[in-house]
Amino acid sequence: MLIENQHYRTVWYEKDKNRVAMINQVKLPFEFEVVHFDTYKDTAEAIRNMTVRGAGAIGATAGFAMAQAIVDAANWEQVVQARAYIEATRPTAVNLFYATAKVFNAGKEQKDLAVSMAQQIADEDAENCRLIGEFGNPLIHSSCRILTHCNAGWLAFVDFGSAISPIYAAQRAGKQPFVYVDETRPRGQGARLTAYELSQNNVEHRIIADNSAAFYMSKGKVDMVITGADRITANGDVANKIGTLEKAILAKEFGIPFYVAAPFSTVDFSTASGQDIIIEERSDDELLYHEGPDAQGVMRRIRMAAPDSKGLNPAFDVTPARYITAFITNKGLIRPDDLKSYNERE
Ligand code: MRU
């Protein structure tokens, strides 16, 4: 995708240096910075502190971290320890575990195979997201008004994105989609990241407060909702950024189609239902403080809440399958009830 008209992936691997490079998402949208990590521990820390975030981008990064560890390891015991270290960074997005397992298994045979597997995971992520765009585009009519939550755009993947990919495809096809961007408290991935990438790619949009979706839906101003997913369980339940569940309930109330866009690497057939998903709890600092530039452009951190109060900060919630109209995947549109037939086919 484009930044200042130059194409970037969100994360990539520099093979000659065994080094991982990525766009620093903590600094966006105020500063565009590419950062590099020389060791798997530093790359894993970038996942934990959300320098890189979003299911597909986390998966690709974890795959690269696993490859870094395998290249540098003196023995297999170190690789086993590295895998545990990388997998302890963030528990909810299944792409992370999918990637570490694949690279780990490839590396058992040969170090070089670990590197090529990590690269393949990243390339497949980009291609699958492109296909999500192609399959989702026909759902979007020429002046469609779409509500999205969090950032499931190209920054959340290696390229193209999941929820935003159909919107980019529609735009490329000459349509004029309009996007309501939920700000997505507490970290503001919508206001900061989705709005940034839509601006960079000239897609018409407005940031809305998280609690205003019902207002716009009740006025008939939202034609569809598209969100991403961090994990889809065998029965079609979806873990996604906190606040997704309430958008799904609202969409049902107002008769608005609710789509979840995700590559197949996000489907976890080994987990029966959403009740079995571990939900990450993050520091309440994310809720109680906000960071951004002051009028002079100096970054400031300000408190947004009563000084003596603590907060609660679950990072994800689970939307039951019954609220989901269809999944937009790299294999086409799939109704939640039909998902299990894909497991039987694989
Ligand atoms: O906590 P984050 O920023 O890693 O959140 C994950 C997400 O990006 C969202 O839940 C997204 O909608 C699905 S992942 C592409």
Side-chain angles (χ1 to χ4, degrees):
M1 282 286 148
L2 298 178
I3 297 194
E4 307 295 340
N5 290 321
Q6 192 178 330
H7 179 264
Y8 281 93
R9 282 188 164 189
T10 303
V11 56
W12 61 96
Y13 178 67
E14 296 172 350
K15 195 174 175 189
D16 52 332
K17 301 191 176 98
N18 191 28
R19 175 168 104 156
V20 178
M22 64 184 69
I23 295 170
N24 185 351
Q25 300 196 36
V26 173
K27 294 216 169 151
L28 286 178
F30 309 114
E31 189 184 330
F32 179 78
E33 179 187 63
V34 172
V35 284
H36 299 89
F37 300 106
D38 290 311
T39 68
Y40 82 82
K41 283 195 174 173
D42 290 343
T43 306
E45 174 59 18
I47 297 173
R48 200 201 54 75
N49 68 25
M50 295 178 71
T51 300
V52 62
R53 33 66 50 203
I58 288 174
T61 306
F64 288 143
M66 195 73 254
Q68 275 183 305
I70 290 171
V71 169
D72 283 341
N75 55 55
W76 196 250
E77 184 47 35
Q78 289 180 356
V79 176
V80 172
Q81 284 168 5
R83 180 176 175 180
Y85 190 91
I86 297 162
E87 290 185 343
T89 52
R90 297 196 70 192
T92 309
V94 75
N95 304 59
L96 188 155
F97 303 91
Y98 163 91
T100 49
K102 283 196 122 179
V103 177
F104 181 88
N105 288 332
K108 275 182 187 160
E109 291 180 40
Q110 221 181 297
K111 289 192 175 197
D112 258 10
L113 290 181
V115 171
S116 47
M117 177 56 75
Q119 189 57 52
Q120 185 183 321
I121 289 168
D123 292 344
E124 281 175 1
D125 184 81
E127 173 58 9
N128 288 338
C129 286
R130 189 189 69 75
L131 288 168
I132 288 170
E134 297 306 314
F135 286 119
N137 174 21
L139 300 170
I140 298 175
H141 61 70
S142 59
S143 52
C144 204
R145 298 157 302 176
I146 304 145
L147 186 139
T148 192
H149 191 68
C150 194
N151 173 263
W154 72 271
L155 285 164
F157 288 85
V158 174
D159 208 345
F160 295 98
S162 57
I164 309 296
S165 188
I167 297 170
Y168 290 136
Q171 174 105 342
R172 285 196 298 276
K175 302 176 198 173
Q176 289 168 326
F178 172 87
V179 186
Y180 293 97
V181 179
D182 280 349
E183 60 174 342
T184 317
R185 290 277 291 139
R187 288 184 70 97
Q189 287 97 328
R192 294 172 74 116
L193 302 176
T194 303
Y196 172 77
E197 62 172 87
L198 291 176
S199 297
Q200 290 290 327
N201 290 277
N202 296 315
V203 178
E204 183 74 17
H205 65 280
R206 295 288 183 278
I207 298 165
I208 60 169
D210 282 331
N211 47 10
S212 53
F215 172 81
Y216 288 107
M217 288 183 181
S218 69
K219 302 260 178 233
K221 292 189 171 184
V222 178
D223 298 310
M224 67 169 71
V225 179
I226 314 181
T227 74
D230 293 86
R231 190 181 293 239
I232 300 170
T233 53
N235 69 341
D237 292 349
V238 168
N240 195 54
K241 181 53 57 189
I242 190 79
T244 303
L245 171 60
E246 64 181 57
K247 306 306 175 237
I249 295 170
L250 287 174
K252 194 164 193 107
E253 169 67 20
F254 292 108
I256 297 166
F258 185 92
Y259 294 102
V260 171
F264 249 75
S265 51
T266 303
V267 183
D268 175 12
F269 286 114
S270 70
T271 300
S273 84
Q275 288 177 346
D276 306 319
I277 298 175
I278 299 169
I279 299 293
E280 178 184 6
E281 291 271 349
R282 294 188 63 88
S283 161
D284 65 355
D285 277 9
E286 292 182 347
L287 183 68
L288 305 177
Y289 295 86
H290 234 42
E291 210 175 346
D294 65 15
Q296 282 69 46
V298 178
M299 290 300 281
R300 302 269 183 219
R301 186 170 185 262
I302 56 164
R303 185 156 175 114
M304 317 254 301
D308 297 329
S309 297
K310 291 185 169 41
L312 294 170
N313 186 18
F316 301 92
D317 58 26
V318 173
T319 299
R322 66 179 180 279
Y323 290 107
I324 296 161
T325 308
F327 296 108
I328 310 173
T329 78
N330 48 303
K331 299 185 185 196
L333 290 194
I334 301 173
R335 306 259 165 213
D337 284 347
D338 297 331
L339 193 61
K340 57 180 174 309
S341 70
Y342 283 79
N343 190 21
E344 287 146 18
R345 272 185 240 173
E346 309 270 282

